Amino acid sequence: MMVSSPFGGSRSPGNLPRLPTPPTGWPIGSYATYGEAKQAVDFLAESEFAVSDVTIVGVDLMLVERVIGRLTWGRVLAAGGVSGAWFGIFAGLLLGLFVNQGFALQVLTGLVLGVLSGLMFAAIGYSMSRGRRDFSSASQLVAGRYDVLCQPRSAEQARELLAKLALKPNP
């Protein structure tokens, strides 16, 4: 699996383009969900088809923001304290490794200072929002449909295989 990076890599596997490039190929299937498109490509792979010719393309992209819950001072401060504690423990562990004065004291000091700074930064950030965003959410990029494309040299074979998949009864 290749993960894209804004800095690029020294090599790209196969003939994958280094820059964002529109997909090429002929449509061999269109699916409502990514899971269905992935299942189709899995079926092609199990049928020993050259899946390196296949591309899954999300069409009609949309950003979906799912609201998780309401933000309160208690939740904001708790999250700030916990994240500050993790950072403080990490800093205390590093400091304890390099300072010859009481390892446990260094970790405890890091923990306390981390919690206090986490609380302070969370309180400042939340108070500056002035109630404009009193909820937490998770964002996800989804597509309206997922098209499966294949290079012309093997598109007909892929269509025939996917027709067999469509005829299979679903469990």
Side-chain angles (χ1 to χ4, degrees):
M1 180 173 144
M2 180 178 163
V3 177
S4 61
S5 165
F7 307 111
S10 59
R11 291 180 282 159
S12 67
N15 293 328
L16 296 177
R18 289 176 154 270
L19 297 173
T21 306
T24 59
W26 292 355
I28 58 172
S30 187
Y31 302 92
T33 67
Y34 177 77
E36 292 171 344
K38 187 173 97 37
Q39 179 184 12
V41 175
D42 283 341
F43 180 78
L44 291 173
E46 290 168 2
S47 301
E48 298 184 13
F49 181 80
V51 290
S52 59
D53 285 349
V54 176
T55 305
I56 298 175
V57 180
V59 180
D60 297 331
L61 296 180
M62 59 189 114
L63 178 67
V64 177
E65 184 175 11
R66 292 185 180 20
V67 176
I68 296 171
R70 185 170 179 263
L71 279 182
T72 63
W73 273 104
R75 285 186 180 187
V76 168
L77 293 177
V82 168
S83 70
W86 281 113
F87 182 75
I89 288 173
F90 176 71
L93 286 171
L94 285 179
L95 192 60
L97 290 174
F98 298 109
V99 175
N100 292 333
Q101 298 175 347
F103 182 78
L105 180 63
Q106 299 299 327
V107 173
L108 184 62
T109 302
L111 174 65
V112 170
L113 291 176
V115 168
L116 291 175
S117 61
L119 289 170
M120 181 182 70
F121 286 119
I124 290 171
Y126 187 63
S127 67
M128 290 180 72
S129 73
R130 295 187 184 134
R132 286 187 300 247
R133 187 173 169 95
D134 277 346
F135 61 92
S136 60
S137 63
S139 296
Q140 188 178 33
L141 191 64
V142 296
R145 74 173 193 276
Y146 296 87
D147 291 341
V148 179
L149 306 180
C150 184
Q151 293 304 311
R153 65 181 164 260
S154 51
E156 284 303 317
Q157 180 189 3
R159 281 191 190 117
E160 290 172 11
L161 288 169
L162 291 180
K164 291 178 185 175
L165 175 64
L167 294 176
K168 276 185 157 184
N170 286 336

